[in-house]
């Protein structure tokens, strides 16, 4: 299911629905939604998926979305747990940090 806002289209996913439900109990998610709207939260969920996969960072999100790095880091951390609980298969993908650590360890030998 998708929704359009302006010229953009976002997906209404189970992850987004859980994040919206958590706005009642999670002040950080509620504040982000209040500042950026549901469309902004949907965009943050997409960034969180890439964040879980180690494909993006809070700095990238902050720059691309025009928000402070601290705000991006906060929402990514809050959404990370939701993404992992709703989409556990994402945690099985290889992570760049683990690969970098393996390379660093092998170069020490």
């Amino acid at each position: 299911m998708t929704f359009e806002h302006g010229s953009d289209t976002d997906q209404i996913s189970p992850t987004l629905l859980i994040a919206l439900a958590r706005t009642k109990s999670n002040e950080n998610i509620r504040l982000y939604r209040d500042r950026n709207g549901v469309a902004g939260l949907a965009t943050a969920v997409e960034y969180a998926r890439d964040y879980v996969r180690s494909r993006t960072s809070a700095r990238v999100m902050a720059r691309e979305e025009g928000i402070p790095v601290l705000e991006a880091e906060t929402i990514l951390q809050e959404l990370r747990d939701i993404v992992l609980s709703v989409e556990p298969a994402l945690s099985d993908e290889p992570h760049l940090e683990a690969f970098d650590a393996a390379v660093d360890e092998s170069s020490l030998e």
Side-chain angles (χ1 to χ4, degrees):
M1 192 180 226
T2 61
F3 69 96
E4 293 182 19
H5 51 96
S7 62
D8 294 331
T9 302
D10 282 309
Q11 180 182 10
I12 299 174
S13 65
T15 305
L16 176 59
L17 293 175
I18 298 294
L20 286 169
R22 295 255 176 103
T23 60
K24 292 183 180 191
S25 61
N26 186 307
E27 185 177 338
N28 291 326
I29 297 174
R30 181 176 50 253
L31 182 60
Y32 191 87
R33 187 221 41 216
D34 290 348
R35 287 184 181 169
N36 300 285
V38 174
L41 186 58
T43 299
V45 167
E46 294 303 318
Y47 277 102
R49 283 188 182 109
D50 285 343
Y51 183 75
V52 166
R53 294 176 179 133
S54 299
R55 294 180 181 171
T56 196
S57 68
R59 288 189 179 276
V60 170
M61 179 184 176
R63 183 181 65 241
E64 291 178 355
E65 296 301 310
I67 61 174
V69 174
L70 181 59
E71 184 176 0
E73 183 65 40
T74 300
I75 195 62
L76 288 174
Q77 288 296 318
E78 296 290 355
L79 294 175
R80 179 185 181 278
D81 294 335
I82 296 171
V83 168
L84 288 172
S85 68
V86 176
E87 304 175 44
L90 292 181
S91 65
D92 295 336
E93 292 187 10
H95 295 278
L96 295 178
E97 292 89 11
F99 178 74
D100 287 343
V103 170
D104 290 342
E105 287 177 13
S106 67
S107 66
L108 295 175
E109 295 173 357

